[in-house]
Amino acid sequence: MDTTMDQLRTLIVVHETGTALGAARVLGREQSSVQKQLDTMNRNFRDLCGEPLVLKQGRGKDVLFTGTGEALVELARGTLGDWLEGIHESRRRLGKTLMVGTTRFTLGYLAGAGERVAQEFERRAIELKVGHVRTRDVLGKLRAKEVDLVCGSVVTRPEGDNELDAFDVMEWRRSGVSLLTNLPHSRLPGETVTSSELRTLPLVVSASGLMAGVLHTWFGADYRNKLHIAAEIDTVTYGFELLRSGLLRGCMLVTTGVAEAAGDPRVAYGRGMRAVELVNDTGPRLEVLLGAFTRHGERAHYEPSHPLNLLWDALALENEQWRREQRWPTEGLEPDPFELANSYNPSES
């Protein structure tokens, strides 16, 4: 019962690395120090449970964890996890730490807002931690309390979405779903196509993310077996390059803003392609919502001076300024098509 938190951490690292030497390297300690902790825990738990935690297998081989050892490692992970979560929760409540997630395409919003609160955060020694979040994980990171605020995009429905009830949402932009294609007019005539016709077209599809979510909603979890997937991509940028190269003829689902932006001469990615309006006749109407998200009601529990509220207000001011000035998130650089579509509305010019 004299086992310490440090000993538990050592045991977990030995379990992950397999040896006392491996654990020593990870922990930045001498092997003899790690081995001493293992010997102490082995002796204590042999007396307490009748079985040591680990057994040596011979020189150069990983140690063997006994049943008691495996059980204690599992318990240690939970104990240390709960302990750290409690510390983080206290720091979060007291406004000492703020965890923020952002997708690549919303980093510009956060950077501008961060400048607005930088002096106040520095004066109060508030630690602002920023991490990259993939679009598919925007809401999941909030649910798991890995972040306190996240900037990104989600697929939703115009009439409302129950999934968003668990979050406070600062909406920046909404956009529908369209197609970009390099197919000739003889293959895809007209300016519109129905979503049910997607079954007959060669598609360039994201492996995950917003548009994968759209196809999942319209055609089910096995949509890959129902559609003609000509290529699967990781990023919209690669999809643009693939279609622009002419190596493949097909269509790519994008937000309506991206499709409209493709014709802008400042956007090299879209040259040689045309936008086709997608008329939904398959499932619910879907939109892409770009904005900032926090857990519902959490900000209301804090004072206006809490860092979460300060940053939230700064993001709102940043969005108002961008709308008023109609400037680019990457001013001075060639705009990324996704950023262009979600930070600039051509109808406002």
Side-chain angles (χ1 to χ4, degrees), residues 198-213:
L198 293 178
R199 300 174 185 270
T200 67
L201 298 172
L203 300 178
V204 176
V205 175
S206 298
S208 60
L210 294 176
M211 295 307 149

Side-chain angles (χ1 to χ4, degrees), residues 31 46 59-60 68 94 108 145 164 200 221 286 300 316:
Q31 180 181 359
R46 183 185 291 109
R59 182 180 296 273
T68 300
L94 296 172
K145 293 190 174 183
L164 294 180
T200 67
L286 299 175

Side-chain angles (χ1 to χ4, degrees), residues 27-287:
L27 295 171
R29 296 178 178 175
E30 295 293 331
Q31 180 181 359
S32 59
S33 173
V34 172
Q35 189 61 56
K36 183 177 180 180
Q37 285 187 314
L38 279 180
D39 292 342
T40 298
M41 286 187 286
N42 258 350
R43 184 170 58 253
N44 290 345
F45 279 88
R46 183 185 291 109
D47 295 340
L48 185 64
C49 302
E51 182 179 51
L53 301 180
V54 298
L55 299 173
K56 293 182 179 180
Q57 294 283 83
R59 182 180 296 273
K61 294 184 178 181
D62 289 355
V63 296
L64 175 66
F65 275 74
T66 65
T68 300
E70 292 286 354
L72 186 62
V73 167
E74 190 66 24
L75 182 62
R77 286 197 175 109
T79 299
L80 292 179
D82 291 344
W83 179 265
L84 291 174
E85 175 58 30
I87 293 174
H88 292 324
E89 185 63 34
S90 295
R91 288 180 60 84
R92 183 184 297 121
R93 178 176 53 82
L94 296 172
K96 296 298 184 182
T97 301
L98 189 64
M99 303 288 294
V100 181
T102 175
T103 62
R104 172 191 171 193
F105 307 113
T106 56
L107 186 57
Y109 282 90
L110 182 61
E115 291 180 4
R116 296 176 183 270
V117 299
Q119 286 188 341
E120 179 68 8
F121 277 28
E122 183 176 0
R123 183 183 69 82
R124 294 165 53 184
I126 297 168
E127 184 181 14
L128 176 63
K129 294 185 176 181
V130 180
H132 175 238
V133 174
R134 294 187 179 276
T135 301
R136 62 175 179 265
D137 298 326
V138 164
L139 299 182
K141 293 285 187 180
L142 277 173
R143 290 193 191 93
K145 293 190 174 183
E146 295 181 30
V147 295
D148 304 305
L149 182 151
V150 65
C151 304
S153 301
V154 298
V155 175
T156 187
R157 304 183 185 189
E159 66 275 11
D161 195 326
N162 292 337
E163 185 180 23
L164 294 180
D165 291 344
F167 307 96
D168 290 342
V169 181
M170 182 192 301
E171 182 176 322
W172 294 335
R173 303 287 186 273
R174 279 182 182 258
S175 182
V177 181
S178 295
L179 282 183
L180 268 181
T181 184
N182 63 358
L183 289 173
H185 284 275
S186 59
R187 175 68 176 85
L188 186 59
E191 301 299 324
T192 64
V193 64
T194 63
S195 55
S196 59
E197 291 179 86
L198 293 178
R199 300 174 185 270
T200 67
L201 298 172
L203 300 178
V204 176
V205 175
S206 298
S208 60
L210 294 176
M211 295 307 149
V214 170
L215 294 176
H216 184 283
T217 301
W218 283 348
F219 298 102
D222 62 338
Y223 66 85
R224 286 180 175 81
N225 296 323
K226 298 177 181 178
L227 302 174
H228 176 195
I229 308 297
E232 198 165 67
I233 58 175
D234 290 327
T235 66
V236 66
T237 301
Y238 181 74
F240 270 81
E241 293 173 350
L242 182 61
L243 291 175
R244 193 177 57 169
S245 72
L247 182 64
L248 181 146
R249 296 288 182 179
C251 307
M252 182 169 65
L253 267 73
V254 295
T255 64
T256 300
V258 168
E260 292 173 349
D264 193 303
R266 291 171 292 184
V267 184
Y269 292 126
R271 292 171 192 161
M273 284 176 278
R274 61 189 174 98
V276 178
E277 181 183 354
L278 186 60
V279 179
N280 180 28
D281 65 348
T282 303
R285 184 183 168 200
L286 299 175
E287 294 180 335

